[in-house]
């Protein structure tokens, strides 16, 4: 089992106060020194105020922030959790991804999804109705660009162009597909290197536009079916990155309680096919974050290994 730390989404709104005299490089070093395998940044370039008021969140630009973190670390993998493909032209995405993979010496993993926040699609001039097809075409176009191939797709044709630098990782960074829906699962099997399902209730599913997922048993059943389809197609096993059902936790002593509770079920998640557990601390400041990450290291990461 490997462990991925999601930068606290709620920290961005009050980023200056949250960081204090620290910066994102200090955040990344704390995570790396604690023994985490990767750190993730999400993406919301221009969310609407109503969504924010109902529980939404801001974000740093993932490429800028992860590049800053890459410069401060040596081992830590960098994960986009998740890029929304339709928000940008695939060749701009391919360029940013290849550049980040190059400057980090091959430490990038690209989490991607179709997206769900229609108001953000609208303000960005992105195509909400065709977002799934755009994600499929984006992945194909990016991989062709990285390989130096022409792309013959109808949506993003490209002939007589080239992109330098290429990604360090052969064939490009691993691509993990986000979402619980059948199309997302099929996309992960057919086009991806990993799957990023979401633990959520029916109420939350109505917001994120992807089906609920409420038990380890449901998760195991879906992963088993996906691995069977993958094997039948001649593919390698998928990574599965999952924010556990225990993800709702507090700070301080509550972080320690969360670590112990999750630690007791790491084996069950592994048996279900999870290869990466994603943890998002709810720390209210960098000082609290440093303490909470230390507790997670001592009470969760070390015993799990």
């Amino acid at each position: 089992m490997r462990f991925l730390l999601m930068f606290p989404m709620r920290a961005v709104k009050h980023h200056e106060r949250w960081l204090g005299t620290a910066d994102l490089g200090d955040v990344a070093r704390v995570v790396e020194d604690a023994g985490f395998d990767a750190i993730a940044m999400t993406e919301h370039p221009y969310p609407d105020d109503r969504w924010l008021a109902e529980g939404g969140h801001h974000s740093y630009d993932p490429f800028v922030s992860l590049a800053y973190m890459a410069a401060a670390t040596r081992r830590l993998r960098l994960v986009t959790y998740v890029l929304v493909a339709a928000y940008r032209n695939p060749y701009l995405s391919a360029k940013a991804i290849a550049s980040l993979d190059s400057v980090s010496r091959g430490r990038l993993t690209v989490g991607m999804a179709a997206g769900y926040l229609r108001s953000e699609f609208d303000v960005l001039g992105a195509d909400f109705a065709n977002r799934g097809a755009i994600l499929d075409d984006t992945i194909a176009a990016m991989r062709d660009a990285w390989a130096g191939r022409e792309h013959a797709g109808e949506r993003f044709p490209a002939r007589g162009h080239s992109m330098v630098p290429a990604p360090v990782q052969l064939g490009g960074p691993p691509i993990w597909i986000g979402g619980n829906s059948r199309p997302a699962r099929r996309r992960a099997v057919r086009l991806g290197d990993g799957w990023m399902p979401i633990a959520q209730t029916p109420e939350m599913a109505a917001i994120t536009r992807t089906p609920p997922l409420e038990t380890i048993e449901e998760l195991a059943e879906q992963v088993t079916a996906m691995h069977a389809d993958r094997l039948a197609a001649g593919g390698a096993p998928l990574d599965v990155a999952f924010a556990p059902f225990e993800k709702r936790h507090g700070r301080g002593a509550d972080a320690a309680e969360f670590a112990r509770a999750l630690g007791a079920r790491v084996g069950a998640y592994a048996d279900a096919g999870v290869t990466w557990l994603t943890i998002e601390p709810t720390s209210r400041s960098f000082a609290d974050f440093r303490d909470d990450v230390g507790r997670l290291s001592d009470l969760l990461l070390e015993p799990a290994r």
Side-chain angles (χ1 to χ4, degrees), residues 46-67:
Y46 209 10
D48 74 88
D49 291 339
R50 179 178 177 180
W51 180 75
L52 293 169
E54 293 175 350
H57 58 88
H58 291 284
S59 72
Y60 286 101
D61 178 90
F63 294 114
V64 173
S65 55
L66 290 173

Side-chain angles (χ1 to χ4, degrees), residues 62-93:
F63 294 114
V64 173
S65 55
L66 290 173
Y68 197 97
M69 291 175 160
T73 56
R74 291 293 176 265
R75 175 191 58 79
L76 199 65
R77 287 198 68 82
L78 315 158
V79 181
T80 60
Y81 202 128
V82 293
L83 292 182
V84 178
Y87 283 179
R88 57 178 68 77
N89 178 280
Y91 301 116
L92 290 177
S93 295

